[in-house]
Amino acid sequence: MADFAPAAPLDRFILRGSPPFAVAVPTHPLHSLSLGGASALWLGPDEWLLLAPEGEGAALAAQVARTETPHALFDVSHRQLGFVLSGEDAATLLNGAVPLDLSPEAFPVGMCTRTLFEKAEIVLWRTAASAWHIDVARSFAEYFQELLAVIAQADGIALA
Amino acid sequence: MLLIHCPYCGMARPEIEFRHAGHAHIARPADPAAATDEEWAAYLYWRDNPKGLIAERWRHVHGCGRFFNAVRHTVTDKLLATYPAGAPRPEIDLP
C-alpha cells in the first residue's frame, strides 16, 4: 500500500558556491536542513537545492542575495515537478527503479541525493520514515509516473 | 553492477550513476607555445594501455556531479581506490 500524489507547488533554486551563505545550508554530504518553511538539500560539495512553498521563493532569494562572497543562484522552479510517495511499501516501490539501499539504516530520514529512477534523473529525499519527496524534470514526469504504476502492478502493491 | 565509492558523497554508489572520463593526471604543458610538437602530441593523444593498474577520471554525473580519480585494475575491472581530484595517486600494492 502506497500513496502517490503531486507535491504542493514549490519555488526551487539551485545555489552554487562555497559556504557560508546568508542562509544556512547543510555541509555534510547527502544531508538536508530545514529553513523555517523552506528546505536546503545537499546535492554536491558546491551545489544545493533550495525548496520553498510557492510564493515564498522571492523572500528566500533576497536573503541569499545578502551573501557577500561569490555565489550563483538559479531559479529552477519550473524545471522540475515534485511528487510525494508515502506508505509502508514506498521504499519497495522506489527500489523497483532506484539502485540504492533505501533501508532506514542506509538512507535515514532527512537524507537526500540526486540519483537515477531507471532512466530519469531524480532528487530523492526521505522526509519521514515512510514518506519520500521526489523531484523529477518535467519532461520525465510522465515517464516517472507511468513506470511507477508499472512497478506497483508488477509487485502487486496498491498505488493510490 | 559495480559499486563505486564516491569520495565526495562518502558512500558506495551504483555504477550507472557514473561516467568514465579518460586518463587521470595528465597535465597541460604550462606554456603551450613553447611546447614541442612531441610534447603537445603526448598531452593530446598518447595514453597508456596497461594490463594492470590505471588511474582514471570518473564523474558522479547522476549524483553529486563531481569529477574524481580512481585506480582501476584493467583485468579484474575492480576499482581499488577513489580519491578527490587534485590528490596524488595512492600507492597500491597488488598481492
Side-chain angles (χ1 to χ4, degrees):
Chain A
M1 181 68 208
D3 292 310
F4 180 64
L10 291 167
D11 286 341
R12 300 172 172 83
F13 297 91
I14 290 286
L15 174 60
R16 305 284 310 247
S18 300
F21 305 107
V23 296
V25 293
T27 51
H28 202 272
L30 311 177
H31 278 56
S32 60
L33 194 68
S34 170
L35 310 165
S39 302
L41 278 62
W42 188 99
L43 292 187
D46 61 354
E47 184 177 5
W48 290 265
L49 176 65
L50 308 181
L51 301 176
E54 191 177 39
E56 295 176 23
L60 184 64
Q63 197 185 339
V64 173
R66 286 200 282 272
T67 308
E68 289 179 2
T69 49
H71 64 282
L73 187 73
F74 304 96
D75 187 335
V76 294
S77 300
H78 300 158
R79 184 179 75 178
Q80 287 152 219
L81 290 175
F83 294 95
V84 175
L85 185 64
S86 56
E88 54 181 298
D89 291 323
T92 310
L93 265 179
L94 287 169
N95 265 151
V98 174
L100 294 176
D101 184 353
L102 300 182
S103 63
E105 301 78 39
F107 207 112
V109 174
M111 185 166 163
C112 58
T113 184
R114 191 155 45 196
T115 185
L116 285 172
F117 186 89
E118 195 68 42
K119 290 181 180 177
E121 189 173 283
I122 59 168
V123 173
L124 185 62
W125 178 27
R126 187 172 215 151
T127 51
S130 59
W132 302 80
H133 177 95
I134 299 124
D135 247 25
V136 58
R138 304 175 66 88
S139 52
F140 274 105
E142 202 175 341
Y143 169 86
F144 167 72
Q145 292 175 86
E146 287 181 8
L147 185 55
L148 198 65
V150 168
I151 294 165
Q153 197 176 21
D155 288 353
I157 295 170
L159 190 62
Chain B
M1 190 184 289
L2 283 178
L3 290 176
I4 300 175
H5 186 272
C6 172
Y8 294 100
C9 292
M11 66 182 291
R13 304 281 292 232
E15 176 191 1
I16 56 167
E17 290 185 357
F18 295 85
R19 288 287 182 281
H20 175 263
H23 222 149
H25 304 299
I26 291 176
R28 190 172 191 266
D31 183 0
T36 64
D37 286 354
E38 290 244 316
E39 285 167 348
W40 195 247
Y43 162 66
L44 285 182
Y45 303 118
W46 296 352
R47 298 292 180 263
D48 298 334
N49 185 21
K51 184 178 182 181
L53 297 179
I54 187 168
E56 296 171 324
R57 299 165 77 226
W58 283 76
R59 185 179 180 213
H60 195 185
V61 59
H62 295 300
C64 62
R66 293 296 287 245
F67 282 91
F68 60 93
N69 294 334
V71 176
R72 185 173 65 91
H73 197 293
T74 55
V75 178
T76 62
D77 205 27
K78 282 197 171 138
L79 286 136
L80 300 168
T82 57
Y83 49 102
R89 176 175 171 167
E91 297 288 334
I92 292 170
D93 293 323
L94 286 177

